[in-house]
Amino acid sequence: PNPVTTSLNIGVNLTENQKIEIQLFNTMGSQMGTSLVADTHQGNNEYNINVENLPVGIYFAEVILNGTPVSTRKFTVSK
């Protein structure tokens, strides 16, 4: 759900095994951290990103597969 309070769920459906990275950015474009770097498997993958240490605000989660950005998702952190 959006807004989130403690964790952000991101689902990715992959056609092959790939390396995934999820980076978080604020609205000014500053990277707030890399939340995940992992090798994944083909099919549906679900990732739970801890955002409880981020201040209230709007953020973007960029999904990167094998070094190539593939999607950006906007989310709001509320407390």
Side-chain angles (χ1 to χ4, degrees), residues 42-63:
Q42 179 180 356
N44 292 321
N45 295 269
E46 188 78 26
Y47 302 100
N48 188 334
I49 309 298
N50 182 343
V51 297
E52 64 186 347
N53 292 327
L54 293 177
V56 170
I58 297 171
Y59 296 90
F60 298 92
E62 182 174 54
V63 177

Side-chain angles (χ1 to χ4, degrees), residues 8-12 20 22 24 45-49 61 63 73:
L8 171 68
N9 294 316
I10 295 180
V12 179
I20 188 169
I22 299 175
L24 304 180
N45 295 269
E46 188 78 26
Y47 302 100
N48 188 334
I49 309 298
V63 177
R73 301 172 189 190

